[in-house]
Amino acid sequence: MISYILVYLIYIKMTEFHVKTYEFLDSRRSNFVLRLQIGEILKADYGLYTWPCAVVLAQFVIHGRDKILNKSIVELGAGTGLAGLVAAKCGAALVTLTDHMDCQDGLLNLQNTIVRQGVSNANVCGLNWGHFTSELLNIRGADIILAADCFYSSKDFEPVLVTVANLIDANKSAEFWCTYQIRR
């Protein structure tokens, strides 16, 4: 099934699909290096491209990895899943990578990336911001909520915040780690 997913993605996006290697260092420990291979589509319009905010959030996760250890993590609008996969590699108990339910190519790419990384503590969930679905109810209780550039469009502000509020309502000590690029 997994090899079928990769073949399917390459077939539908043919020359646009590639795997990019990201390398993260921890300035506090010179011997800590984390490398991840992330599937991307260069001409993607949202979720199948690793945006700069995802790289910044991933580096922040590396820096705060002591807080990630044995925690439940949810990444909203995961896209290529970079920040969430860094959390998984840094010892999170469980990482749930979410993206829009209608973005089947993106969800398949996330599944394939999990397999490529050999990560057993991550899963993928279709989730539409602001909708109170069974998927949202199943991921409640996260300790840390990650979101890289989910405030790209002002129309998404309220649905993202409603989703975050719902997740925090289930765990009052949850933290929301978010990166956002100001665009003009």
Side-chain angles (χ1 to χ4, degrees), residues 6-18 40-45 48 105-106:
L6 178 60
V7 170
Y8 173 74
L9 279 173
I10 291 173
Y11 175 75
I12 60 171
K13 300 298 181 183
M14 208 50 109
T15 60
E16 300 170 3
F17 183 84
H18 79 285
E40 297 182 335
I41 296 176
L42 294 177
K43 296 179 183 178
D45 56 346
L48 292 171
D105 289 350

Side-chain angles (χ1 to χ4, degrees), residues 57 61 64-76 78 81-98 121-125 138-147 167 171 174-177:
L57 184 57
V61 168
R65 72 181 181 278
D66 295 340
K67 293 183 94 174
I68 296 283
L69 194 62
N70 299 317
K71 300 293 184 179
S72 174
I73 312 296
V74 170
E75 184 177 5
L76 299 177
L82 183 63
L85 289 166
V86 166
K89 291 281 199 172
C90 285
L94 176 65
V95 175
T96 301
L97 304 172
T98 73
N121 58 337
N123 61 41
V124 175
C125 176
N138 288 336
I139 61 173
R140 290 174 48 114
D143 298 300
I144 298 174
I145 303 152
L146 303 175
L167 292 170
N171 179 359
E175 296 181 16
F176 179 46
W177 297 2

